[in-house]
Amino acid sequence: MVEPDADGTAFTVVADPLVRDQAPAPALPDASHGVLVRVRTLLPEFTGALQRVAEQVLTDPAAASRATIVELAERSGTSPATVTRFCRALGFDGYSDLRLGIAAETGRARSAGWTVDIGREIQPSDPLERVLAQIMAADTRAMHDTAALLDLAEVERAAVAIAAAPRVNIFGASGSALVGEEMQFSLHRIGVAAWAWTDVHNGLASAALSRAGDVALGISHSGETGETIELLAEASSHGATTIALTSFPRSPLAELADIVLLTATQATTFRPDALSARHPQLVVLDLLYVAVAQRTHERSHAAFQRTAQAVSGHKAVKDGSSAP
């Protein structure tokens, strides 16, 4: 269950013996997913000197791949011993393995042609051509990282649950609410009974009516949005299968959920992580929507045909005149 912290400003997930066993926390991505993805995933857990090393690597991966251990320590204001601890935290035996991993990753990005000085900040004086290139590079990187992070077996489980669910509740706040509404619209078009809730009171009322077989999807980049955690916990306590869409596998939302779908982000100036997460979130939900449609093909096809016909009269006809 979810209880407010002492100051009432945040929520804490508390084990409830009356609620079914909570799913174990999802595993962090291993080195095969890419060094920089792993660094970004672990960044919120690093503190002090380890965090400074991580930020230095993410700011300029290419330079980090060329630097000696002493140089990286100096640039991050730490020590070689700290850099060694950083390597081990990422699952590497030593610094040479870290350098090789970063070099291989930046080399693949460069050869693919979608990286444009990925660590460079966008300046107020930059021309729009440069801004566009930087945004495209960041978003493309985030898409590639999301594809590497995403566990397709979890997507399969989520699709099966939604396809069979009598009711799907979707919870999210702020920008995540917009993403949730897009998913709700897509599911409705293929005949899935889905609702997207942004008001906490209405969401709690709907979550309280959940039953076994229903699905609750919580969307939060940080996985720390108190309202979304509370709503998902309420649905879970009534037997709903819970799905979390987040960028942090050890967040409270992820630890609460039965199924976790992970996204990656690549922030730029004026586009912090929470905002840059939108496109990867939409990609993952689009994949989930298609997977649901595949598993309910006949029903989905018929529903889509009927809904398309229902709105066809509101589209402009080919001769340019408007339909009545």
Side-chain angles (χ1 to χ4, degrees):
M1 61 184 175
V2 172
E3 293 181 354
D5 289 345
D7 61 3
T9 59
F11 293 86
T12 302
V13 179
V14 180
D16 188 338
L18 298 180
V19 179
R20 68 184 188 277
D21 292 340
Q22 293 180 344
L28 288 168
D30 57 34
S32 66
H33 291 98
V35 180
L36 301 180
V37 176
R38 187 165 177 78
V39 174
R40 277 189 288 271
T41 301
L42 286 171
L43 185 60
E45 299 183 22
F46 289 143
T47 58
L50 287 180
Q51 189 175 69
R52 293 200 297 275
V53 177
E55 289 172 346
Q56 181 63 38
V57 169
L58 292 176
T59 298
D60 195 344
S65 71
R66 296 189 298 268
T68 66
I69 189 171
V70 173
E71 289 170 340
L72 183 59
E74 290 177 349
R75 291 171 187 173
S76 58
T78 62
S79 67
T82 299
V83 176
T84 299
R85 285 195 294 118
F86 175 75
C87 295
R88 289 173 180 167
L90 294 176
F92 293 104
D93 292 332
Y95 183 63
S96 60
D97 293 330
L98 173 67
R99 285 183 61 188
L100 288 172
I102 297 174
E105 191 169 343
T106 55
R108 286 193 299 269
R110 194 177 300 109
S111 63
W114 50 262
T115 181
V116 180
D117 197 8
I118 205 74
R120 179 185 182 276
E121 294 293 323
I122 295 175
Q123 303 299 325
S125 59
D126 282 348
L128 286 180
E129 292 84 357
R130 175 72 197 190
V131 174
L132 174 61
Q134 193 72 5
I135 290 175
M136 290 294 294
D139 280 357
T140 304
R141 178 60 168 271
M143 299 297 184
H144 279 261
D145 288 352
T146 295
L149 277 174
L150 197 58
D151 186 339
L152 295 182
E154 290 288 271
V155 177
E156 174 80 23
R157 289 180 60 207
V160 169
I162 291 174
R167 181 184 185 89
V168 178
N169 282 315
I170 304 173
F171 306 122
S174 188
S176 294
L178 300 176
V179 176
E181 289 173 351
E182 186 75 17
M183 182 62 169
Q184 185 264 344
F185 169 75
S186 297
L187 291 175
H188 254 306
R189 286 296 299 267
I190 58 172
V192 175
W195 287 263
W197 304 99
T198 56
D199 179 84
V200 175
H201 289 185
N202 289 337
L204 282 172
S206 186
L209 296 175
S210 297
R211 301 176 180 177
D214 289 345
V215 169
L217 168 62
I219 304 170
S220 170
H221 158 65
S222 67
E224 296 179 347
T225 305
E227 297 89 341
T228 305
I229 296 170
E230 183 182 13
L231 290 162
L232 207 68
E234 179 68 24
S236 177
S237 70
H238 294 283
T241 298
T242 53
I243 304 170
L245 178 63
T246 181
S247 299
F248 297 96
R250 290 182 178 173
S251 62
L253 187 70
E255 292 177 352
L256 171 66
D258 300 310
I259 300 169
V260 178
L261 307 179
L262 292 176
T263 57
T265 64
Q266 180 66 53
T268 63
T269 313
F270 311 119
R271 293 174 76 231
D273 279 340
L275 183 58
S276 62
R278 298 293 170 258
H279 290 162
Q281 286 174 342
L282 287 169
V283 168
V284 172
L285 290 180
D286 196 26
L287 173 63
L288 180 57
Y289 156 72
V290 172
V292 172
Q294 286 178 315
R295 283 148 188 79
T296 58
H297 179 262
E298 291 186 8
R299 184 184 77 186
S300 296
H301 180 71
F304 196 85
Q305 291 294 104
R306 291 199 301 272
T307 56
Q309 185 173 358
V311 302
S312 62
H314 292 269
K315 295 181 179 179
V317 295
K318 289 184 177 180
D319 64 4
S321 60
S322 298

